Amino acid sequence: MLPLPTLRQLEYVVALAELRSFHGAARATHVSQPGLSAQIRAVEALLGVRLFERDRRPVLVTPAGAALLPRARAALAEVRGLVEAAQA
């Protein structure tokens, strides 16, 4: 079985893409900035693509990141729906 990114890692990816700042995304996801950065690097290594351009401010989403972002959002929405259905 292939290793998969965790839901938490997908939350970090989406937060960084939306906020375009490691500091802001770390604050929004309640993790340290070094921790967020390490998790983003881990996801990129796992997927084999660079999702963000870090050398620019604000942080830019790469074309590969832009292509994968809708799927990350959809995966998180599906899990939220699963939890809501279980609670209903």
Side-chain angles (χ1 to χ4, degrees), residues 6-8 10-11 14 71-81:
T6 67
L7 293 174
R8 193 71 177 136
L10 294 179
E11 288 175 333
V14 170
R71 291 178 180 253
R73 285 186 175 116
L76 291 171
E78 281 294 320
V79 171
R80 284 186 198 103

Side-chain angles (χ1 to χ4, degrees), residues 6 11 15 18-19 25 27 29-30 33 39-40 46 54 57 59 62 66-67 74 78 83:
T6 67
E11 288 175 333
E18 289 176 354
L19 298 171
R27 188 173 48 219
T29 57
H30 309 288
Q33 188 171 340
Q39 289 301 310
I40 295 293
L46 181 71
R54 293 167 177 77
R57 297 212 194 278
V59 173
T62 66
E78 281 294 320
V83 171

Side-chain angles (χ1 to χ4, degrees), residues 32-86:
S32 70
Q33 188 171 340
L36 176 85
S37 184
Q39 289 301 310
I40 295 293
R41 279 193 308 275
V43 171
E44 290 176 326
L46 181 71
L47 298 176
V49 296
R50 192 163 184 198
L51 302 174
F52 299 98
E53 291 291 336
R54 293 167 177 77
D55 55 345
R56 303 194 49 168
R57 297 212 194 278
V59 173
L60 297 178
V61 179
T62 66
L68 296 175
L69 198 55
R71 291 178 180 253
R73 285 186 175 116
L76 291 171
E78 281 294 320
V79 171
R80 284 186 198 103
L82 176 109
V83 171
E84 290 170 4

